Amino acid sequence: MSAVINKAKSQYRRALGIEVGVILAFAFFLFLYKGNITISFIAGTVSSFVPHAIFVYWVFFRNSAKDRTNMTAFYRGEGLKWLATILLIIGCFKLVFPMDFVWFFMGYFIVLLLNNMIPFLLSRFTH
C-alpha cells in the first residue's frame, strides 16, 4: 500500500506543478488579449486551485496521529476544501473590483477541469 501512496504523492506533486504552469500561461495570454479581465480570471483560478491544493496536502502529505485511517483524512480534507472554497469566493466577490463574473467562473471551472484531467492523464500516460 505504501508504494501506491508514494506513487500518488509524486503524481499529485507533478500534477499541481503542471496545473500552475497551465494557469499562468493561460492568464498571461488572457492579459495580452484583454488585460482588464485577467484579475477576475486569476481570482477564479485561485478560488479553485488553493482549496484543491489544501485537499491534496491534507490527504497525501500531512501525517497526523489523529488521522488513523485514510478515510478520516479524506473527509477532513474535503471539509477544509469546501470551507476554503466558500471563504475564497466570498473574499473575491467582496474585494476584487471591478469583477467580471463570467471570467471569474471561467477561471474557476477551467481549474476544476484541470484538477481532474491532469492526474488522470498522468496516470494514463506515465508508468
Side-chain angles (χ1 to χ4, degrees), residues 3-67:
V4 172
I5 291 174
N6 287 335
K7 183 178 179 183
K9 281 182 181 182
S10 82
Q11 188 174 0
Y12 271 101
R13 189 176 289 126
R14 286 181 56 206
L16 290 175
I18 291 169
E19 192 169 346
V20 167
V22 170
I23 291 167
L24 290 176
F26 200 97
F28 176 73
F29 288 120
L30 187 62
F31 177 74
L32 293 177
Y33 171 68
K34 204 169 192 178
N36 58 345
I37 58 174
T38 307
I39 296 298
S40 297
F41 177 80
I42 291 174
T45 61
V46 166
S47 295
S48 185
F49 179 76
V50 170
H52 179 68
I54 290 170
F55 172 77
V56 169
Y57 168 76
W58 194 270
V59 171
F60 291 111
F61 297 101
R62 184 180 162 276
N63 293 325
S64 173
K66 289 176 80 174
D67 294 333

